[in-house]
Amino acid sequence: MSTPKRRLLEEANQQTTLASPAKIRRAEIGTQSRALASEESSAGEYEEPEIEGMYLDTVNRANLDFDFEQICSVSLSTNNVYSCLVCGKYYQGRGKQSHAYFHSINEDHHVFINLHTLKVYVLPDNYEVRDRSLNDIKAVIRPEFSPAQVRSLDRSCEQSRDLNGRRYLPGFVGLNKIKCNDYINVVVQALAHVPPIRDTLLLLPDIEKQTPLVQRLAGLLRRMWHPKLFKAHISPHELVQEILTRSKRRFGLDLPGDAFDLLTWLLNALHIDLGGSKKRNSSIVYRAFQGEILATTQPIEDTKSRKHQQDPIEMDAHKSSVKVLKMPFLTLSLDLPPKPLFADDDNDDENGKRSAIPQVALVSLLQRYNGSTISEWRGEAKKYQLTKLPKYIICHVKRFSKSEFSVEKNPTVVNFPIRNVPFGELLPKSPDLASEQDSNTTYNLISNICHDGQPEQRQNTSATSDEGILAESHYLIYVHHKANDKWYKIRDLQVEHIMPQMIFL
């Protein structure tokens, strides 16, 4: 016979036994809920389980180079490409039959990043890693800028350091010379320092939806201005390949190219790709560079008669053959005086050697657009009147004269001030022709592209003469940094500070 206390204990044990399955299930559910809550909390605090930190110590940033085309090194496919963060090679996919999977097993390299989504995975286990220590790698692949950061670019002169401790100034980094791409490098450097173009490309939203040309140029400019590069130089390989494809190989790497031809082509291509039309201010390119001139033409036979052939040409305004046309422009071409055939005696030193080369002032070259200077071209008399100034003006000094077999370079030095270059004197004085202009009609020099050496002679071009051609002909650029008011000379990978007196055309 059991006591009342014992009966109570037996009943409690029976209830516990009957209720244990439900309690166990509730306990399991509760445990899972606590586990999920713990995971959510850790995700919010960026604290991952220790297992996700495995193999991160094998990541080798010195081997990483994201400047090249994102293509699998085995299949040559551009779809779903991953970069091995140990050796830096590109492989496609991460499935069990993918090249990245086999690489992880064969080479014992386990950490990979998707170059499109920027998600990091450990292979062959195939789990995603979220770790803040990898954010610098993601930023190098796809740098991003805030409006405040962009506004500070022209106010900051703070230098950065790459992985090797080498100092560099963001925005003033060298570009690799792949082959004959020096003419491409200087054009990129010039556009990278025109604030409206630079700022637009740095802040461009949904860059994946842009054309390949805009993507490549914007990506290159973002890396050039990135303050935390792994190396203090960049390869323009992706942009060069896109230019070759888009221009149908009009611009290539086998022979030296013309920087001005590339610049005009690139500005028009960007204008179209960024939604531009024939309307004024329809794209950032037009808003930055487009001005307007008034062109007046008349056949030579209808101009006023001249007593002597050397007399200047005068148009006959009373004849109906005079045509007046408003023309927008992105660049102003300036003609140099003809190259002298013989050196003047005054320019010879005591040894009989020529001690100076011809010189001309930029202001005198600009008189072509004063509305009164008349030139003859292909049987027509022409004069140009500058009527509207752009915010940023591109002047092209025509140095090269091309023939079927050769290219000649005019060595005349163009003298110009780097500050307060006057353009207001070229505007029309008549209020009927004058357009609305800003009160400031003077310009400061931002960059200056120069050609060093003699141009390539095509009749002597051969497969074995490329090195000689490259050694004699090269483009370089002088760039001004507003923050410290200093000038830098950039020649491919070489970046050096220079005195303003060393800048010349």
Side-chain angles (χ1 to χ4, degrees):
M1 185 173 181
S2 60
T3 62
K5 184 176 182 181
R6 185 173 181 178
R7 286 199 301 272
L8 291 173
L9 289 173
E10 290 176 353
E11 291 176 358
N13 290 334
Q14 291 176 358
Q15 291 177 358
T16 302
T17 302
L18 293 174
S20 60
K23 288 184 177 180
I24 291 174
R25 286 195 295 272
R26 285 196 296 271
E28 291 175 349
I29 295 173
T31 303
Q32 293 174 1
S33 299
R34 287 194 297 274
L36 290 174
S38 176
E39 290 179 1
E40 292 175 356
S41 175
S42 63
E45 297 175 359
Y46 297 97
E47 295 178 358
E48 299 297 332
E50 292 184 0
I51 189 173
E52 292 197 3
M54 292 180 62
Y55 304 115
L56 293 187
D57 58 333
T58 64
V59 174
N60 190 348
R61 288 166 173 79
N63 291 337
L64 304 183
D65 190 346
F66 303 108
D67 294 340
F68 295 94
E69 188 176 2
Q70 299 177 0
I71 183 172
C72 176
S73 59
V74 179
S75 66
L76 303 182
S77 173
T78 58
N79 296 325
N80 199 24
V81 178
Y82 289 76
S83 174
C84 174
L85 296 185
V86 181
C87 66
K89 294 181 179 179
Y90 292 173
Y91 295 97
Q92 184 182 16
R94 58 185 174 88
K96 292 186 177 181
Q97 300 298 322
S98 66
H99 300 293
Y101 185 89
F102 293 143
H103 178 75
S104 67
I105 296 176
N106 296 334
E107 302 296 334
D108 199 25
H109 295 174
H110 300 284
V111 188
F112 294 78
I113 186 169
N114 187 296
L115 296 177
H116 178 68
T117 64
L118 300 185
K119 293 183 178 181
V120 180
Y121 295 88
V122 168
L123 298 181
D125 304 281
N126 199 18
Y127 63 83
E128 184 181 354
V129 177
R130 299 186 184 93
D131 195 285
R132 285 180 294 179
S133 66
L134 301 173
N135 288 348
D136 62 328
I137 298 177
K138 298 178 181 180
V140 169
I141 297 175
R142 195 177 300 160
E144 295 183 353
F145 293 82
S146 66
Q149 290 174 321
V150 171
R151 288 193 297 268
S152 67
L153 293 180
D154 291 329
R155 299 194 298 266
S156 173
C157 55
E158 182 179 356
Q159 291 187 336
S160 301
R161 290 181 181 269
D162 63 5
L163 291 179
N164 297 322
R166 184 182 306 170
R167 290 181 178 273
Y168 73 94
L169 187 62
F172 297 80
V173 296
L175 298 179
N176 286 350
K177 185 173 183 180
I178 304 170
K179 202 173 181 183
C180 296
N181 64 302
D182 52 290
Y183 71 103
I184 299 178
N185 289 350
V186 294
V187 170
V188 172
Q189 294 281 7
L191 293 180
H193 292 88
V194 179
I197 303 295
R198 177 199 64 193
D199 298 352
T200 298
L201 294 177
L202 294 185
L203 297 175
L204 196 63
D206 300 326
I207 191 172
E208 297 83 4
K209 298 180 181 179
Q210 302 294 330
T211 64
L213 180 63
V214 174
Q215 290 185 35
R216 302 294 183 267
L217 182 59
L220 181 57
L221 262 62
R222 293 181 182 193
R223 290 194 293 273
M224 290 173 63
W225 286 97
H226 187 50
K228 297 181 180 179
L229 294 175
F230 290 165
K231 47 187 174 54
H233 57 86
I234 300 172
S235 174
H237 183 269
E238 283 190 300
L239 176 63
V240 170
Q241 291 296 327
E242 180 58 30
I243 289 176
L244 263 65
T245 303
R246 178 73 175 269
S247 67
K248 298 180 180 179
R249 297 199 170 272
R250 172 183 171 186
F251 304 101
L253 297 176
D254 296 331
L255 293 174
D258 191 313
F260 178 71
D261 288 346
L262 174 67
L263 176 61
T264 54
W265 176 87
L266 185 57
L267 289 179
N268 284 285
L270 288 177
H271 169 70
I272 295 172
D273 290 357
L274 295 175
S277 63
K278 293 183 179 180
K279 295 182 179 180
R280 185 174 180 83
N281 296 329
S282 58
S283 75
I284 186 61
V285 175
Y286 275 16
R287 290 194 292 273
F289 297 117
Q290 190 181 63
E292 189 178 78
I293 59 176
L294 198 66
T296 305
T297 62
Q298 186 176 37
I300 291 293
E301 58 269 15
D302 292 340
T303 58
K304 293 182 179 180
S305 59
R306 294 178 287 176
K307 294 182 179 180
H308 304 285
Q309 188 68 24
Q310 295 79 13
D311 293 342
I313 302 174
E314 294 185 21
M315 291 187 177
D316 191 345
H318 300 287
K319 294 184 179 180
S320 60
S321 58
V322 175
K323 296 181 180 179
V324 180
L325 179 65
K326 282 188 177 181
M327 301 170 55
F329 71 88
L330 294 179
T331 63
L332 287 180
S333 294
L334 305 177
D335 294 323
L336 287 174
K339 180 180 177 181
L341 298 178
F342 304 99
D344 297 333
D345 294 337
D346 296 338
N347 292 334
D348 293 345
D349 59 18
E350 59 183 5
N351 297 323
K353 295 182 180 180
R354 190 177 182 185
S355 59
I357 57 177
Q359 300 186 27
V360 65
L362 177 65
V363 176
S364 65
L365 298 182
L366 290 173
Q367 297 308 308
R368 179 186 183 187
Y369 299 96
N370 62 4
S372 58
T373 302
I374 300 176
S375 59
E376 181 180 354
W377 177 251
R378 293 183 178 179
E380 285 188 329
K382 295 186 177 184
K383 66 177 180 179
Y384 303 96
Q385 173 70 69
L386 187 63
T387 58
K388 190 172 183 61
L389 292 172
K391 292 182 178 180
Y392 296 84
I393 193 165
I394 302 174
C395 293
H396 170 232
V397 178
K398 299 169 65 174
R399 289 197 175 274
F400 301 105
S401 57
K402 301 179 182 180
S403 65
E404 185 178 356
F405 300 103
S406 64
V407 179
E408 293 186 0
K409 179 180 178 181
N410 190 325
T412 302
V413 174
V414 179
N415 298 316
F416 62 96
I418 61 175
R419 298 180 187 274
N420 300 322
V421 180
F423 279 83
E425 298 175 356
L426 303 175
L427 297 175
K429 305 300 186 292
S430 172
D432 297 333
L433 293 177
S435 58
E436 295 181 0
Q437 295 291 337
D438 296 334
S439 57
N440 188 5
T441 57
T442 59
Y443 289 75
N444 297 330
L445 187 66
I446 295 178
S447 62
N448 180 32
I449 296 176
C450 292
H451 181 270
D452 186 19
Q454 294 300 317
E456 167 259 343
Q457 303 299 323
R458 296 188 181 276
Q459 73 272 22
N460 296 326
T461 301
S462 64
T464 59
S465 63
D466 284 348
E467 293 184 359
I469 292 172
L470 293 178
E472 295 179 0
S473 177
H474 203 95
Y475 277 101
L476 55 92
I477 184 172
Y478 301 95
V479 185
H480 179 250
H481 189 23
K482 188 176 180 180
N484 55 16
D485 196 24
K486 292 183 178 180
W487 283 90
Y488 296 88
K489 175 183 175 182
I490 304 178
R491 177 169 176 163
D492 294 330
L493 292 175
Q494 302 174 6
V495 181
E496 57 179 320
H497 168 249
I498 64 166
M499 299 301 294
Q501 293 80 1
M502 298 299 296
I503 304 169
F504 58 90
L505 280 175

